[in-house]
Amino acid sequence: MKKQLSRLYLLFWLVPLVVSPLQWFSSTVQEVDIFRPVAGTGILVAKNFGTLTILYFLILATMLVFEFSRKHPLVCVAISSLQIMFTTIFFMLPRIIIGPTGLSQTGMSDVDFYLRAVLLSIEPSYVIALISLIVSVGLHFVFNICHENKST
């Protein structure tokens, strides 16, 4: 039972893949005095951010290989740090995609407008994916790093 519970982080890591067909971002961007709607699903994000997509699947493959083989404590720390790095980049996606241009005439000087515009453009499926990644990192840390240190 404890072993299956320790693998729960893998399910949370797969949630972004499951919600990828749903809409993650929607915004109106100004481009040459023409306002156009931008609707982005997780699949569109994956196509436009190939490096991030490859990193996601490499981390997933690494977690699967080392979860079902003999674990080394340094590998668990490396996987945890890669998960944190990926989740941080994933957290910055709205800032990267929507950015300060197009949302406000003044760019970053109108911080309140920019923050409201970014928050309005984020869809619930992206929030679900982000929260699941954070939970996955937390569960991996608790079960594979903290628990291993207590048992040694």
Side-chain angles (χ1 to χ4, degrees):
M1 178 64 179
K2 189 186 229 181
K3 194 70 163 168
Q4 285 80 12
L5 192 60
S6 71
R7 293 181 178 152
L8 187 62
Y9 75 95
L10 287 169
L11 290 177
F12 282 101
W13 191 260
L14 289 172
V15 169
L17 191 62
V18 172
V19 296
S20 63
L22 303 175
Q23 187 167 335
W24 284 11
F25 304 106
S26 64
S27 175
T28 302
V29 178
Q30 180 181 0
E31 199 174 276
V32 194
D33 293 328
I34 299 172
F35 286 99
R36 63 182 182 88
V38 174
T41 63
I43 295 170
L44 184 65
V45 171
K47 286 180 184 177
N48 289 322
F49 293 92
T51 306
L52 193 63
T53 306
I54 291 170
L55 182 63
Y56 175 80
F57 285 113
L58 284 176
I59 294 172
L60 176 63
T62 304
M63 288 190 303
L64 288 172
V65 166
F66 285 105
E67 185 61 40
F68 296 105
S69 65
R70 191 170 175 203
K71 293 183 188 177
H72 191 275
L74 289 178
V75 172
C76 289
V77 172
I79 289 173
S80 197
S81 62
L82 286 171
Q83 282 182 313
I84 291 169
M85 181 188 72
F86 179 83
T87 304
T88 303
I89 297 170
F90 194 83
F91 177 77
M92 293 186 312
L93 273 179
R95 170 79 170 93
I96 295 168
I97 292 171
I98 299 159
T101 58
L103 293 175
S104 169
Q105 294 288 337
T106 58
M108 286 300 288
S109 64
D110 194 359
V111 175
D112 288 334
F113 174 79
Y114 176 70
L115 182 62
R116 277 182 278 144
V118 168
L119 290 177
L120 286 174
S121 66
I122 296 173
E123 297 291 329
S125 55
Y126 170 77
V127 175
I128 290 169
L130 179 63
I131 289 171
S132 71
L133 288 175
I134 292 169
V135 169
S136 176
V137 170
L139 288 175
H140 183 268
F141 184 78
V142 167
F143 283 114
N144 292 316
I145 296 176
C146 293
H147 185 61
E148 290 296 322
N149 288 340
K150 287 181 183 178
S151 59
T152 56

